[in-house]
Amino acid sequence: MKRSGPLFTLLAGLLLALFMLSLNVTEGTRSTSTGSESSGDVVSASPTPTASPPSGKPSPSPSPSPSKTAVPNADYAGRTDDDSSAVAVTLRDGKAVAYFCDGKDQESWLKGDVKADGSMRLTGQNGNVLTGELKGKQIRGTVDMGQRKYGFTADKAVKPSGLYRATATVRGAEVDGGWIVLPSGQQVGILNRAGKPSPAPRIDPETGVVTVDGQQLTAEPVTP
């Protein structure tokens, strides 16, 4: 009995030491595992910040780019700066036709496009060119007749003022007449008989009726 007492005491101490060692290892493992899980929860719970408009104030939509408006349809008539001739211009759907006439033997029909800003460059036979710009209720520009340039101002015309033309065959001859009826009521025109120009007879501004060599013709408003 005296020999086994110390042996049992030694074994008990060893067992107690082993138990305490295993207990410490287990607790350390649990602590490490718990820390890792906790760290993972924090990362996954953090939301990604997103930009949002201020509450009650929606983001303004971009303003539409201004659109160009078409030049309105209208008729214009006036005289050259030197008062020697007349000019009429008719605008329809972005197109224009014009007539330059001195009422004697010089005339020109011109046509072309009108830009959204009211500017125009109209061309005719023999290289004749009308350049002008619509501002407000009048067209201001020049007519280049080759040998000479004429400045002009044409005001907006109200019927019966405007531009008229009549073509027909009278007594076997081709007849082509052009008339500008000014806002004052004055008429400026040329009548070509077989290509020979002469001052045109007066038309009825209300009906367009004109008598040429005893035959009645009807001058119609000119449009592009």
Side-chain angles (χ1 to χ4, degrees):
M1 294 297 293
K2 291 181 180 179
R3 291 181 179 178
S4 60
L7 182 59
F8 281 118
T9 300
L10 180 61
L11 290 174
L14 289 173
L15 290 173
L16 179 59
L18 289 172
F19 174 75
M20 293 300 293
L21 180 61
S22 64
L23 182 62
N24 289 336
V25 171
T26 302
E27 288 297 329
T29 303
R30 288 180 179 178
S31 298
T32 303
S33 176
T34 303
S36 300
E37 292 175 359
S38 176
S39 176
D41 290 342
V42 171
V43 172
S44 62
S46 299
T48 301
T50 57
S52 59
S55 176
K57 295 181 179 180
S59 300
S61 57
S63 301
S65 57
S67 58
K68 295 182 178 180
T69 57
V71 174
N73 297 339
D75 302 325
Y76 299 85
R79 299 193 65 88
T80 56
D81 295 346
D82 62 2
D83 203 35
S84 67
S85 307
V87 178
V89 184
T90 300
L91 308 182
R92 295 291 187 275
D93 302 324
K95 303 289 185 179
V97 59
Y99 182 51
F100 169 89
C101 175
D102 68 357
K104 300 175 183 177
D105 56 8
Q106 191 176 29
E107 65 175 353
S108 180
W109 292 93
L110 311 103
K111 60 182 179 179
D113 297 327
V114 182
K115 296 182 180 179
D117 62 0
S119 61
M120 64 194 76
R121 184 179 187 275
L122 315 182
T123 57
Q125 293 183 347
N126 303 319
N128 299 333
V129 178
L130 180 152
T131 57
E133 184 175 4
L134 172 63
K135 288 187 176 181
K137 295 183 178 181
Q138 67 178 206
I139 296 174
R140 175 67 185 166
T142 61
V143 178
D144 186 350
M145 294 294 291
Q147 298 296 325
R148 183 178 174 185
K149 287 185 179 181
Y150 299 81
F152 73 90
T153 300
D155 296 319
K156 189 173 183 179
V158 179
K159 288 185 177 180
S161 300
L163 179 58
Y164 297 83
R165 190 173 192 176
T167 58
T169 301
V170 177
R171 296 184 179 181
E174 295 294 328
V175 173
D176 184 6
W179 291 263
I180 298 174
V181 180
L182 297 169
S184 63
Q186 181 185 6
Q187 297 184 14
V188 182
I190 287 180
L191 184 71
N192 285 278
R193 294 179 177 85
K196 296 180 179 181
S198 62
R202 184 177 178 85
I203 65 173
D204 183 336
E206 298 297 333
T207 64
V209 172
V210 58
T211 301
V212 177
D213 297 338
Q215 182 174 326
Q216 279 195 346
L217 306 177
T218 300
E220 301 288 348
V222 179
T223 58

